[in-house]
Structures are given as structure tokens and as C-alpha cells.
Amino acid sequence: MIIKTKSLLNKYLILGGLFILVLVVHQNEVLAFDKNPVVKAFQKQLESKAQNQSPGFKGFSAEEGEKLYHLKRAFSKDGETRSCTSCHTNDPTKPGETKVGKAIKPLAPKVNNERFTDVEKIEKWFRRNCKWVLERECTVVEKGHFIEFIYSI
Amino acid sequence: MKNKSRFLVVLMLMTMSLFLIATTAYADKDEDDEKEYNLLGKLEHSGEKGKKIFQIRSIPPVTDTTYLKECGACHFAYQPGLLPEKSWEKIFSGLESHFGEDASLSAEKAKSLREYAIQNSAEKANSKRANKILRSIKGEPPLRASDTPYLIHEHNEFPASVLKRKSIMSIANCGACHTTADRGIYSERYIHIPK
């Protein structure tokens, strides 16, 4: 009799655990892919601009964004290799570090929901960092790819 | 019963206030730099005379939250008191090429930060250390605090190999060794050089 109640309890525990696990996984998926209203509106703007600029535009792709994130380029003045990863590391869910040792919070919205919530800030950092790596500003298509990638993580 | 609990409450309040007095007195005694700063804070209301007699040793800490946020996003948010007005004017008029990097801000933000820096520059800091920085500069003021003769002199005991350690990165990373840098306190006793 005692053994029976024990196994019954175990059954409930396992079922409860599974339920919580499913909940957590589901929640994470939602967080990872759900863009906040600010970035959604921003992305829409980029999309309409991209359609106007190039009629052959086929939408933003996370894959292209990933390529951009890992792109390595030699800086014209001293040949230094520069990339998004120089400061944000190979894994955007991990904290990074500026060239003078200042900590950077993770870039991926999945682990840092303060990211991509302010258009002025988004534009400021695209402007500065694209110039740092590419020595030019990013195009609307590149920005769209990048956001698609960062939300695919 | 009622009286007893009232007595207990009074007793508790008394011990709590005793603790408070003890800790504040202790803090004052221990942190000279801050004491001087607080003293000045009080003296500021007593007019120009008091200001001239009592100079703080530390550099006044940054109080502007936008300054802390924008400048501090990439590097230590240097106190405006570390450089003369002329340096800040130059720095804030060339943010598009800020030591080789684009640090551009909206015109509005750049203007307000420029004003904050100028209003709190070394000339206005009323600080002994800021005055040492000022007095050491001959000719055109540099754009980096670490290029002022006073700071060069203060750091010359450290070879480049120490400043290049992964834990320090560069002389620009004040907080790596000056554990109280964010409070503008650069006293030797608060220095800890990481391995």
C-alpha cells in the first residue's frame, strides 16, 4: 500500500515536471522569436525602403545577417581585423567587451530584452559600428538581415 | 503587557539610532576624500569665501545621467574635472571622429553633454587634483587626461607591460586600478593593481 502511493506520487511529480519543462521551452521560443513593437515597426520601415530601393528585394534573411555578423574586414588605416565579433564575441548571447575593456551586455534580445527597444539607439549603434567595421554606413537591407539574424538566436 | 511592548519599541529605536550614528562617524573617519567632498557640499551654500579656503582633494564625480550613459557605453566616463574647458570644447565638437572612432550623437545630446563638461571642467572643479592637472599643462591642452604632464608623471612608475595587462587594457581604463575612480577618488590608498 505504501509502495503504491509512493509510485503514484512519483508519477505526478514526473508529469508536473514535464508540464513545467514544456511551459519553459515554449516561453523561451516565444521570447526568442517575438519582436517587440518598436523593432517590428522599425523592421517594417526598413522593408518598405528596401522594396523601393531594389525591386528584386526578397525579404530579410537571418542567414545573410549571420554572415554579416561574422564578416571579418581589414581596417584600411592599419590592416587591423575588425568584425562585429571583435567586441560582441562569436556568440551574441554572451557579454562582450569594448577595445578599452568596458563590458558590453549581450546583444541577443533572447537574453537581454533591453536590446532593440529604442529606435534612436538602434540607429546610433548601426551608424557607429558599421562605420567601425565596414568604414561606411550599413544599407537598409543589411540592417534588416542583421535584425532577422539577432532574433533568430 | 502594553507598557512592556512600548518599552521594547523605544529600546529598539534607541539601539538603531545608536548604530546609525556610529556607522556615519566611522565612515567620515575612514574616507577622507569623501569627507572633504561633503564638507564642500555644505560650504557651497556659505558663499565664495568658503569655496576658496576648502578645496576637495578628489575630482567631483559625474552626476549627469546622460553623460554617464552615453560616454560610459564605450569607456570610463571621465569626470569633466580631469581636463580643462578647452579640451572638452574640442572633444565635443569632433564626436564624429573621436580618437579614430565614430562617437556621434544627436546635435541636441552632444550640446547638453558639452555644456555639462564645460561647466564642470578642471577650472570649475575646485579640486586640488584638478588644479595640479591644470598647472601641469603648458601650451595647448591635450584631449586625453592621460596626456597631461601631471598624469604622465603620476603613472611613470608603471611600465607599459603593466598597463597592457588583460586586466587593465590601457591607461584609459581608470577603474581597473583606481577602485574608487567612479567617485572621482584617485588617492593612492584606494589603488589595487590587478595581476
Side-chain angles (χ1 to χ4, degrees), chain B residues 65-147:
Chain B
T65 48
T66 315
Y67 188 96
L68 280 174
K69 207 173 133 198
E70 293 295 347
C71 308
C74 303
H75 54 67
F76 175 70
Y78 304 103
Q79 287 92 19
L82 289 167
L83 280 170
E85 187 180 321
K86 218 175 164 189
S87 305
W88 291 118
E89 254 172 30
K90 266 196 203 160
I91 288 167
F92 282 102
S93 60
L95 286 180
E96 295 73 24
S97 179
H98 185 65
F99 303 105
E101 291 195 22
D102 182 353
S104 55
L105 289 166
S106 66
E108 204 181 300
K109 247 184 196 167
K111 191 176 167 241
S112 93
L113 292 183
R114 178 180 173 274
E115 265 161 31
Y116 175 73
I118 287 170
Q119 275 161 19
N120 294 279
S121 63
E123 292 95 332
K124 310 270 169 64
N126 198 41
S127 134
K128 283 182 194 166
R129 209 180 290 284
N131 283 335
K132 280 183 187 170
I133 293 172
L134 278 179
R135 275 202 303 271
S136 78
I137 298 169
K138 306 273 182 279
E140 194 67 12
L143 296 184
R144 297 176 202 260
S146 56
D147 284 346

Side-chain angles (χ1 to χ4, degrees), chain A residues 69-103:
Chain A
Y69 184 80
H70 290 282
L71 178 101
K72 292 186 175 39
R73 187 178 174 280
F75 186 57
S76 68
K77 279 180 192 138
D78 57 7
E80 178 196 19
T81 306
R82 292 184 173 189
S83 163
C84 302
T85 62
S86 308
C87 298
H88 291 290
T89 79
N90 271 321
D91 180 357
T93 64
K94 298 266 153 50
E97 203 176 61
T98 69
K99 288 278 148 191
V100 287
K102 187 100 194 175

Side-chain angles (χ1 to χ4, degrees), chain A residues 1-10:
Chain A
M1 187 61 196
I2 292 165
I3 297 162
K4 220 176 183 183
T5 39
K6 225 180 182 179
S7 69
L8 211 78
L9 199 74
N10 274 342

Side-chain angles (χ1 to χ4, degrees), chain A residues 6-7 9 24 30 45 50 54 72-73 75 78 114 121 129 132-133 146:
Chain A
K6 225 180 182 179
S7 69
L9 199 74
V24 166
V30 168
Q45 264 184 9
S54 51
K72 292 186 175 39
R73 187 178 174 280
F75 186 57
D78 57 7
E114 282 169 33
K121 202 176 165 188
N129 292 349
W132 192 76
V133 179
F146 189 91

Side-chain angles (χ1 to χ4, degrees), chain A residues 14-48:
Chain A
I14 290 163
L15 271 174
L18 269 174
F19 180 70
I20 287 165
L21 198 79
V22 167
L23 248 172
V24 166
V25 168
H26 181 71
Q27 191 88 5
N28 267 344
E29 260 171 32
V30 168
L31 277 177
F33 293 108
D34 202 21
K35 294 187 181 105
N36 68 62
V38 174
V39 80
K40 254 186 203 162
F42 184 72
Q43 189 83 321
K44 247 212 172 109
Q45 264 184 9
L46 291 177
E47 206 168 11
S48 67

Side-chain angles (χ1 to χ4, degrees), chain B residues 31-50:
Chain B
E31 308 210 343
D32 245 11
D33 290 277
E34 283 200 300
K35 189 177 86 180
E36 285 183 54
Y37 183 69
N38 290 337
L39 196 63
L40 180 87
K42 276 177 204 153
L43 281 166
E44 265 182 331
H45 303 289
S46 62
E48 282 299 308
K49 212 176 170 188

